[in-house]
Amino acid sequence: MSIPYVKMNGIGNEIVVLDLRDRPETVTAEAARAIGAREPFDQLMVLYAPRRADTLAFMRIFNIDGSESFACGNGTRCVGRRLFEAGAPSPCFVESRAGRLRIEKAGDLVTVDMGEPHFAWNDIPLAEPFADTRAIELQIGPIDAPILHSPSIANIGNPHAIFWVDDIEAHDLSAIGPMLENHPIFPERANISLARVTAPDALTLKVWERGAGLTRACGSAACAAAVSAARTRRTGRKVRVTLPGGDLVIDWTAENRILMTGATEFEHEGLLPEDIFAAAA
């Protein structure tokens, strides 16, 4: 028996949504890699039966390398669109390993509440204490003329390092991203972003995503860059973040919640053979 899936994207972030709420299958790291070999994705969003009465699903998130992520804002917005198309009310709620997530319609767009940011060094986590994560001591290149240095650090369900630059295209992120993702300062690896402030309410961003590589969009990275820009007084608390795949509006509210709004797009439907799960179990 074949199992249906849906391929979507959130401003270019390639997403596969797999709804197993009424099925017995479980996705392992091996199964995620096997699915990705058939249908490439940045993130695989797997929906299981809800574990709490106030949600519609329990959601697990896998990267293309089979590693698991606690957060994917663009993927969650794609899940929200599918739930709304199936008749779910707005707002609706899903649960992930990051907690309970609120999703609502915003006209033709979808907004997800990404929760509260975390800035303490041990919450990110970092391998050693830093009293102030608005800028930590980390650099690439010669000590007297580093290529990149002093990133802002935040956890938005997963670890992020944001390097502030004058030109996001002046650095080869595909070359330096893997090294920084796996730097010893990040015991759980990290998402690496190059960010440029273009206005008091606007950023441009390029992202090397942990477990996925160079990506056209990363919602949690956009959130991390936005709150870090506000935290370092580079911008206000509501900004438009432009990534290669498109724009996201990030609002860090007075209640310390991060609201992310953007477009989603349906690409196609497909079928997975049932044995892809059995073989990987």
Side-chain angles (χ1 to χ4, degrees), residues 43-259:
Q43 275 74 42
L44 169 66
M45 316 295 291
V46 186
L47 303 184
Y48 294 106
R51 305 191 305 185
R52 38 190 291 180
D54 57 352
T55 62
L56 297 180
F58 176 72
M59 183 172 69
R60 292 181 68 187
I61 306 166
F62 292 89
N63 300 311
I64 190 71
D65 67 353
S67 62
E68 194 164 356
S69 177
F70 281 25
C72 176
N74 286 322
T76 303
R77 292 190 304 100
C78 289
V79 166
R81 174 174 168 175
R82 293 296 294 175
L83 293 173
F84 295 142
E85 289 173 344
S90 176
C92 66
F93 298 86
V94 299
E95 182 189 9
S96 76
R97 293 180 65 182
R100 181 172 174 262
L101 303 174
R102 185 180 193 268
I103 314 171
E104 63 181 314
K105 295 179 183 178
D108 294 332
L109 308 179
V110 178
T111 297
V112 59
D113 182 341
M114 295 290 287
E116 298 183 356
H118 299 281
F119 303 115
W121 72 271
N122 53 327
D123 288 335
I124 287 163
L126 298 175
E128 60 186 78
F130 284 89
D132 187 352
T133 53
R134 287 175 295 184
I136 71 165
E137 295 177 14
L138 175 62
Q139 67 181 40
I140 298 177
I143 292 177
D144 56 346
I147 299 169
L148 295 172
H149 64 90
S150 308
S152 299
I153 309 296
N155 185 296
I156 314 293
N158 42 41
H160 289 269
I162 302 95
F163 290 88
W164 305 101
V165 298
D166 294 327
D167 181 359
I168 63 172
E169 299 302 335
H171 308 277
D172 186 356
L173 193 55
S174 64
I176 60 180
M179 176 180 62
L180 287 167
E181 174 190 352
N182 294 284
H183 192 284
I185 196 66
F186 303 118
E188 296 181 7
R189 300 185 294 162
N191 299 270
I192 308 300
S193 295
L194 303 179
R196 175 176 177 250
V197 178
T198 56
D201 60 353
L203 304 171
T204 58
L205 195 67
K206 194 170 185 178
V207 183
W208 177 272
E209 193 165 3
R210 178 183 69 167
L214 199 61
T215 182
R216 289 179 56 75
C218 177
S220 62
C223 293
V227 298
S228 296
R231 212 175 158 228
T232 55
R233 301 188 183 279
R234 287 176 164 91
T235 68
R237 295 175 70 98
K238 185 173 183 177
V239 297
R240 181 174 299 276
V241 180
T242 298
L243 296 111
D247 291 354
L248 292 169
V249 174
I250 311 298
D251 184 5
W252 185 17
T253 71
E255 294 74 32
N256 196 32
R257 309 294 296 186
I258 307 173
L259 306 182

